[in-house]
Amino acid sequence: MMSIHLMAALVLLFSIVLGLIRILRGPTAADSMMAAQLFGTCGVAILLLLGKGLGSEAPRDIALVFSLLAALTGVAFVLRAWRKGP
């Protein structure tokens, strides 16, 4: 059962690598921000999978903090873009 969780975590890790490529090649700041949000979402999912696979509670707490930080990052980006204008 643990190998299923690890395989899913590896797939999500691969999507983070693809998001990194998007950040490096993204034409606009919004593209980079969406890729950064992908990092947050995938990071949370990886931590939850590892927590489930290892039977530990600590990764779940860390995932909760990551999800909160990802939401705050999105709000900060929108506020900055709104102030700056199109």
Side-chain angles (χ1 to χ4, degrees), residues 18 26 54 81:
L18 292 177
L54 298 174

Side-chain angles (χ1 to χ4, degrees), residues 35-82:
Q37 289 294 317
L38 174 73
F39 288 178
T41 304
C42 287
V44 166
I46 288 171
L47 284 171
L48 290 174
L49 284 169
L50 290 179
K52 182 73 174 177
L54 298 174
S56 176
E57 298 289 326
R60 188 181 316 166
D61 296 335
I62 297 170
L64 182 63
V65 172
F66 276 8
S67 65
L68 180 64
L69 289 175
L72 290 176
T73 303
V75 170
F77 176 78
V78 168
L79 288 176
R80 183 172 180 219
W82 195 314

Side-chain angles (χ1 to χ4, degrees), residues 14-32:
F14 181 69
S15 71
I16 286 178
V17 170
L18 292 177
L20 183 63
I21 293 171
R22 183 75 238 174
I23 283 180
L24 294 175
R25 299 182 68 186
T28 64
D31 293 332
S32 298

